[in-house]
Amino acid sequence: MSEFYKKSSQEIFKMLNVTEKGLRSSEVEERRREFGFNELSEEKRKNTFIIFLEQFKDLLIIILLIAATISGFLGELESAIVILVVVTINAILGTVQHVKAEQSLQSLKKLSSPNAKVLREGKKVEIPSNELIVGDILYLETGDYVSADGRILDTFSLQVNESSLTGESDSVVKINDSIDKDNVAIGDRKNMVFSGSFVTYGRGTVLVTDIGMKTEIGKIASLLKSAKEKKTPLQESLDNFGKKLSVIILIIAALIFALNVFRGSDIVDSFMFAVSLAVAAIPEALSSIVTIVLSFATQKMAKENAIVRKLHAVESLGSISVICSDKTGTLTQNKMTVQKVFVDDKVLDSDKLDKELELQKRLVLMSLLCNDAVTIERDEIGDPTEIALVNLGDIYDLDELIVREKYKRIGEVPFDSNRKLMSTLNKVENKNYMITKGAVDVLLNRTSKIAKSTGVEELSNQHKQDIENINRDFSKQGLRVLAFAYKEVAEGENITLEDEQDLIFIGLIAMMDPPREESAEAVKNCISAGIRPIMITGDHKITATAIAKKIGILQDESMAMEGFELDNISDEDLKKRVEKVSVYARVSPEHKIRIVKAWQEKGNIVAMTGDGVNDAPALKQADIGVAMGITGTEVAKDAAAMVLADDNFSTIIKAISNGRSVYHNIKNSIKFLLSGNTAGLLAVLYASLLALPLPFASVHLLFINLLTDSLPAIAIGVEPHNENIMKDKPRNVKTPILNKSFTLEILIEGLLIAIGTMTAYHIGLSSGDELVARTMAFATLCLSRLLHGFNSRGKESVFAIGIFTNKYLWLAVFIGWALLSMVLTIKPLMSLFEVASLNGIQFSIIYGISFMPLILIQLYKILFVKKN
Ligand code: ATP
């Protein structure tokens, strides 16, 4: 069936059994059963059991299991079984963590999957593109991804980039005639579009002929490798650190093994102890905790309208120091209303228009014809600039659909943000008129005449100056100004870019797009967080400046710059000036990439917003590309690391604040894990070096590892937001997470817990019973590590942070405490876990000592940590 290109569109309608109204829902269901979903099959995901087995892949765990089995055969069956059980529970927890992380990555993918616009039951609807089906009538416009193969029905200058299929990077101009040749190569099937390509210009409609694996790209990529999420920089540096740490721990474990054997302990026992020590001390959970915390954060951010497409973005968000934001729709509401009209030498308020004046009416009529927006009842569909014009038509009792039916459009050159113009060719009573609208400065250079009520005149310099003055005046009020012009075109001719000249100027229409209410506040927060906001817009410099002043982006010492000025300076000069410029006006998407690079070369982490297909390179160049969810094209969304579901600037600020929190939380979680592990190691080292009996049994170490590495570590990672976080400056990405002061804190806290543990141990030893001593050491280490979770919540004391604000941590510590208490008091468990029966005084000592690190560290924080 690959010869659709040979057929006429009518034949294909027949072949696929579809009417021009599109498919009915019953037909969609029927076809779904036949064709399935429009998806490329991905590699099968691992099942849960395999993931569970993979938890035992770690060499140390394997050694531990072998050692336990040997000791089981040598008679210590109970302890072997307990070790097996503890390791298995650990593996189950690891599996749950893995599956959870995987699930949230999947839902993240779903959130950011593209949509398609189709005609179904005669209505234009938007559906997820995996629901496209053979026979769907698909609408394509600039910036859309083509997500199925199809035969073109109509094209308005449709151009498509098919590089993913053909390797050819130039766009292909599409046609809708059939091609009467055999064996036409894909690149030459100009009346077809193919899945995997994207629209770079114009628009068109397409009849879907193939979906999913039947598409041309599906045939090439018979098995799409599921794109694995790359490790984030933090995960990588933690992995590296983990490797180095493992070597140190293994050396210590070997040393302890040697010492014990030297002192005559049983070889198998000593070996198992050394391996357990290594298993417990090596923080194997680090990387998976980072994934879990990051994916929790992405879910929270999605609820706040920031959809993160890549996990690593959450991390980089915290260090953003510059945000380059579009104006229209991001800082402003994108709800335009016409305020002023200039026609026939008169400036009029939009509510004081004279409906009878012919020239005014002609201008408004043209603004409806050179326009793609429609309003049906309350639904407004299209570009807000154009919707404002449609609403202006209401004042003149002109309905856009009726006038467009009466004066049919027979050609067009679509709007693009580089050219800043749009033209249509309409039939008006046997004559063909070209109507052009666009940026005043651009259009004025292409006009040679002016229409007045008295007739058409040559456009004099005085006329030009008057128009420019009016434009400046409107712009100063923060209005977006569009100019309108027209000319007659000979019958039978179509229009192209070259026709946009020698036009007759008719008037200006100026509209207001008020700043979003929350923009000024968000800009203020942004500045106080040490982040520089920059406005980048295609709009006029004066309009942009007026809005930028209103919301606080343009400050006294900073300035505005225009796109043409950028064209005239080198990258080196731009780098020198970049810090002074807060507003870029009349820029094209190509300028954005230079601005991003200039800031990056100054050592900044830059976020850049964008919506158009041409914004994609800048979005990719930025450290965090941010695409607009409502107005953004699919291509922009695909290039971005984050999508704003509400297009709102203040959402970026919220996302940054989340990014900063997450980084802090991960850091705290790491500190919790490492300081606890250090405590255990130090205690064992101390006892071994002083030739004291071992303070723990193997199972004790594994049990503590089980209790602390999972729930409390994650609970610390999801510590609620601390508002003060936006008062700090952005984090310097070059500073490693494990710097000197951080390491020192880990060592001191670890030492404190170790001292407590050893004190309890010595008190136990003084009773003359080694088992009691061991039990006390074990219980103290376990309890104080759990309580240390509260110390790890943040820099400030728990009183400053809020004692009960992290409910998960309370729950995690409670569960840990309950399990420990069971092991210490329930008879069968006591013998399994090799603990002695303790008396009340011994319990009081354990509790007293376990609370000491918590009390001391909190006291230190209260006295010496400055409140933010
Ligand atoms: P940004 O979103 O980057 O802040 P913008 O939306 O104002 O900027 P563009 O949409 O590229 O930028 O518009 C640039 C200029 O093109 C506008 O100032 C206006 O003069 C003109 N323009 C905008 N929309 C249209 C349109 N639909 N038809 C004709 N001209 C338009």
Side-chain angles (χ1 to χ4, degrees):
M1 291 283 263
S2 58
E3 306 220 312
F4 288 108
Y5 65 90
K6 282 187 175 174
K7 313 273 186 240
S8 73
S9 44
Q10 287 318 316
E11 282 173 304
I12 297 195
F13 267 111
K14 246 191 235 143
M15 277 170 71
L16 300 179
N17 201 8
V18 202
T19 70
E20 293 190 346
K21 286 196 162 170
L23 297 170
R24 275 173 287 143
S25 342
S26 56
E27 286 174 316
V28 172
E29 270 167 44
E30 223 170 83
R31 286 173 191 231
R32 175 87 60 236
R33 261 172 262 137
E34 187 184 342
F35 297 105
F37 280 94
N38 179 30
E39 283 163 352
L40 298 178
S41 37
E42 290 188 8
E43 246 178 323
K44 277 234 160 49
R45 268 194 288 143
K46 285 182 198 155
N47 76 22
T48 313
F49 185 65
I50 303 279
I51 299 172
F52 173 72
L53 286 184
E54 279 183 359
Q55 307 298 312
F56 297 95
K57 228 170 48 186
D58 189 346
L59 185 64
L60 273 178
I61 302 278
I62 296 173
I63 295 176
L64 179 67
L65 290 177
I66 295 174
T69 317
I70 294 173
S71 90
F73 278 118
L74 296 179
E76 293 193 34
L77 196 59
E78 273 183 5
S79 89
I81 290 174
V82 178
I83 287 177
L84 212 71
V85 170
V86 173
V87 171
T88 308
I89 296 177
N90 224 335
I92 294 175
L93 279 178
T95 310
V96 173
Q97 289 181 3
H98 190 105
V99 172
K100 266 245 127 240
E102 191 100 311
Q103 279 169 351
S104 44
L105 287 181
Q106 282 300 326
S107 59
L108 210 65
K109 249 197 202 161
K110 267 205 197 113
L111 271 177
S112 51
S113 81
N115 284 336
K117 289 164 284 241
V118 291
L119 188 73
R120 289 210 177 147
E121 313 223 13
K123 275 200 206 115
K124 191 173 174 180
V125 288
E126 201 160 318
I127 55 167
S129 54
N130 72 339
E131 289 179 15
L132 273 177
I133 200 96
V134 172
D136 261 328
I137 297 177
L138 170 68
Y139 294 92
L140 292 177
E141 57 186 33
T142 313
D144 280 350
Y145 261 107
V146 182
S147 20
D149 290 1
R151 168 74 163 79
I152 294 169
L153 303 173
D154 275 316
T155 149
F156 290 97
S157 316
L158 184 68
Q159 294 186 19
V160 177
N161 180 312
E162 293 175 345
S163 55
S164 60
L165 270 135
T166 59
E168 173 59 53
S169 59
D170 285 342
S171 295
V172 183
V173 179
K174 292 291 173 181
I175 57 170
N176 59 354
D177 300 328
S178 48
I179 301 173
D180 191 19
K181 270 192 220 154
D182 287 324
N183 302 325
V184 175
I186 292 181
D188 295 325
R189 291 182 207 166
K190 297 201 169 156
N191 57 6
M192 301 278 301
V193 288
F194 301 100
S195 175
S197 54
F198 60 92
V199 182
T200 52
Y201 193 73
R203 61 191 177 91
T205 46
V206 164
L207 189 60
V208 174
T209 54
D210 281 308
I211 60 166
M213 297 305 286
K214 292 268 169 59
T215 58
E216 294 298 332
I217 192 115
K219 287 181 206 156
I220 305 173
S222 56
L223 192 67
L224 185 78
K225 292 263 177 287
S226 60
K228 267 238 168 93
E229 180 84 27
K230 262 195 344 208
K231 288 208 166 174
T232 74
L234 179 59
Q235 276 172 323
E236 266 176 21
S237 81
L238 285 178
D239 279 356
N240 275 340
F241 165 78
K243 274 186 202 134
K244 283 184 208 147
L245 191 67
S246 306
V247 174
I248 299 174
I249 291 170
L250 286 176
I251 293 173
I252 295 177
L255 181 76
I256 285 168
F257 171 70
L259 274 175
N260 284 334
V261 173
F262 177 69
R263 293 200 185 108
S265 305
D266 180 80
I267 291 194
V268 176
D269 277 355
S270 308
F271 184 67
M272 204 151 77
F273 182 80
V275 180
S276 305
L277 181 69
V279 168
I282 291 174
E284 74 289 344
L286 282 185
S287 184
S288 75
I289 282 180
V290 174
T291 311
I292 291 185
V293 171
L294 288 178
S295 39
F296 266 134
T298 58
Q299 284 166 23
K300 176 166 180 268
M301 287 158 80
K303 285 194 196 117
E304 295 173 358
N305 289 324
I307 294 149
V308 175
R309 300 183 65 251
K310 299 269 174 330
L311 270 197
H312 72 82
V314 184
E315 220 177 282
S316 324
L317 270 170
S319 35
I320 284 177
S321 51
V322 176
I323 308 175
C324 298
S325 170
D326 282 338
K327 169 178 74 68
T328 313
T330 315
L331 290 160
T332 65
Q333 298 177 8
N334 217 3
K335 285 200 193 101
M336 313 242 184
T337 39
V338 173
Q339 306 278 324
K340 306 267 182 191
V341 174
F342 171 71
V343 66
D344 201 16
D345 289 335
K346 284 187 271 303
V347 173
L348 303 147
D349 287 334
S350 64
D351 53 352
K352 294 193 187 103
L353 297 172
D354 185 347
K355 289 199 224 170
E356 299 312 315
L357 280 183
E358 159 58 23
L359 212 56
Q360 274 182 40
K361 199 161 180 176
R362 203 187 314 161
L363 172 64
V364 176
L365 177 65
M366 286 181 176
S367 78
L368 294 180
L369 294 176
C370 182
N371 187 327
D372 292 318
V374 278
T375 59
I376 304 167
E377 284 161 21
R378 294 217 168 156
D379 274 349
E380 299 183 322
I381 306 163
D383 174 4
T385 307
E386 300 194 335
I387 291 170
L389 300 173
V390 169
N391 291 337
L392 178 69
D394 291 344
I395 302 179
Y396 284 85
D397 301 322
L398 289 174
D399 182 280
E400 74 279 11
L401 296 178
I402 296 174
V403 298
R404 284 176 206 163
E405 190 56 40
K406 192 168 167 195
Y407 308 113
K408 278 232 160 59
R409 185 185 291 187
I410 47 179
E412 70 180 63
V413 191
F415 171 72
D416 96 72
S417 47
N418 281 330
R419 194 170 104 255
K420 302 183 173 50
L421 295 178
M422 161 177 179
S423 298
T424 59
L425 185 64
N426 295 73
K427 215 164 184 65
V428 184
E429 284 141 17
N430 295 329
K431 286 185 181 166
N432 290 351
Y433 280 98
M434 170 174 175
I435 306 167
T436 305
K437 75 172 192 303
V440 186
D441 31 347
V442 182
L443 194 60
L444 214 50
N445 288 331
R446 294 161 186 255
T447 49
S448 53
K449 298 193 182 67
I450 180 166
K452 300 223 173 166
S453 52
T454 47
V456 174
E457 296 174 16
E458 285 300 314
L459 186 82
S460 65
N461 280 341
Q462 186 58 45
H463 283 134
K464 259 192 167 174
Q465 229 168 44
D466 290 346
I467 298 168
E468 276 162 4
N469 286 343
I470 300 286
N471 180 31
R472 195 167 310 121
D473 200 42
F474 285 169
S475 303
K476 271 191 192 151
Q477 299 167 45
L479 301 179
R480 153 178 288 215
V481 195
L482 282 185
F484 288 80
Y486 67 95
K487 74 177 177 189
E488 201 183 324
V489 174
E491 184 83 28
E493 276 182 28
N494 206 343
I495 48 168
T496 61
L497 285 174
E498 282 73 48
D499 293 303
E500 286 176 337
Q501 53 188 328
D502 249 346
L503 297 159
I504 307 167
F505 176 87
I506 173 160
L508 303 177
I509 297 181
M511 49 197 84
M512 183 65 188
D513 176 20
R516 286 176 181 268
E517 273 170 24
E518 55 278 50
S519 287
E521 178 74 20
V523 166
K524 212 167 104 196
N525 291 341
C526 175
I527 294 171
S528 74
I531 305 165
R532 176 79 181 272
I534 306 288
M535 178 194 276
I536 300 188
T537 176
D539 227 333
H540 196 282
K541 182 169 164 180
I542 303 176
T543 312
T545 312
I547 304 276
K549 274 193 187 142
K550 242 185 212 167
I551 55 182
I553 285 190
L554 196 74
Q555 291 172 329
D556 304 339
E557 64 283 9
S558 65
M559 52 178 246
M561 193 170 184
E562 278 192 88
F564 79 88
E565 296 175 73
L566 274 174
D567 288 333
N568 291 334
I569 60 171
S570 66
D571 287 343
E572 209 37 53
D573 284 340
L574 177 61
K575 198 174 140 188
K576 280 186 203 136
R577 289 171 66 175
V578 76
E579 283 175 341
K580 293 203 183 78
V581 185
S582 286
V583 173
Y584 293 88
R586 282 280 187 258
V587 290
S588 305
E590 291 70 33
H591 292 129
K592 286 185 167 181
I593 201 161
R594 289 187 60 202
I595 301 169
V596 173
K597 279 189 182 155
W599 275 109
Q600 284 174 330
E601 277 168 22
K602 292 229 143 202
N604 289 282
I605 301 296
V606 185
M608 165 68 86
T609 70
D611 48 15
V613 55
N614 300 334
D615 288 335
L619 290 175
K620 282 194 182 139
Q621 173 68 35
D623 299 281
I624 298 280
V626 183
M628 299 299 129
I630 304 172
T631 54
T633 56
E634 297 298 340
V635 173
K637 287 180 201 168
D638 194 63
M642 185 166 92
V643 177
L644 301 181
D646 60 356
D647 287 12
N648 195 336
F649 180 78
S650 67
T651 303
I652 308 179
I653 306 297
K654 271 190 232 155
I656 291 180
S657 147
N658 274 311
R660 287 188 178 188
S661 278
V662 164
Y663 191 83
H664 272 246
N665 290 349
I666 289 177
K667 206 170 158 179
N668 292 336
S669 185
I670 293 171
K671 195 164 150 195
F672 168 74
L673 285 175
L674 295 186
S675 52
N677 289 357
T678 307
L681 266 182
L682 287 177
V684 174
L685 255 183
Y686 168 84
S688 300
L689 292 175
L690 290 194
L692 296 169
L694 282 178
F696 313 107
S698 306
V699 27
H700 295 162
L701 294 174
L702 297 172
F703 181 78
I704 295 175
N705 188 41
L706 177 71
L707 288 199
T708 51
D709 267 18
S710 51
L711 295 182
I714 295 174
I716 292 166
V718 296
E719 174 75 30
H721 229 76
N722 183 340
E723 282 164 17
N724 290 334
I725 208 133
M726 287 305 268
K727 289 182 187 148
D728 289 340
K729 297 280 156 262
R731 169 173 62 85
N732 184 348
V733 268
K734 296 220 176 87
T735 320
I737 190 163
L738 297 148
N739 57 12
K740 261 191 206 145
S741 67
F742 188 66
T743 318
L744 194 66
E745 281 172 38
I746 290 175
L747 288 176
I748 292 175
E749 289 175 10
L751 185 65
L752 216 55
I753 298 173
I755 292 173
T757 307
M758 284 302 92
T759 311
Y761 181 59
H762 278 293
I763 295 173
L765 275 183
S766 66
S767 74
D769 185 342
E770 261 181 43
L771 193 60
V772 168
R774 214 178 264 183
T775 308
M776 287 182 74
F778 157 60
T780 308
L781 180 62
C782 189
L783 192 58
S784 46
R785 280 192 65 175
L786 285 172
L787 292 172
H788 184 52
F790 293 104
N791 286 331
S792 309
R793 289 179 58 199
K795 264 191 238 148
E796 297 165 18
S797 74
V798 289
F799 302 101
I801 301 175
I803 300 177
F804 296 106
T805 44
N806 187 343
K807 294 188 189 69
Y808 296 112
L809 184 60
W810 278 94
L811 187 68
V813 172
F814 174 78
I815 293 175
W817 168 81
L819 289 173
L820 173 68
S821 304
M822 279 157 69
V823 165
L824 291 177
T825 52
I826 298 176
K827 275 268 147 26
L829 288 179
M830 284 168 64
S831 72
L832 278 180
F833 280 88
E834 300 173 36
V835 297
S837 170
L838 301 179
N839 61 32
I841 297 173
Q842 286 158 341
F843 267 117
S844 315
I845 293 171
I846 291 171
Y847 275 87
I849 295 179
S850 298
F851 270 94
M852 275 331 258
L854 179 64
I855 295 169
L856 289 175
I857 293 173
Q858 288 304 315
L859 262 179
Y860 172 82
K861 290 186 181 199
I862 293 169
L863 294 177
F864 299 108
V865 176
K866 260 198 309 197
K867 267 205 176 170
N868 213 327

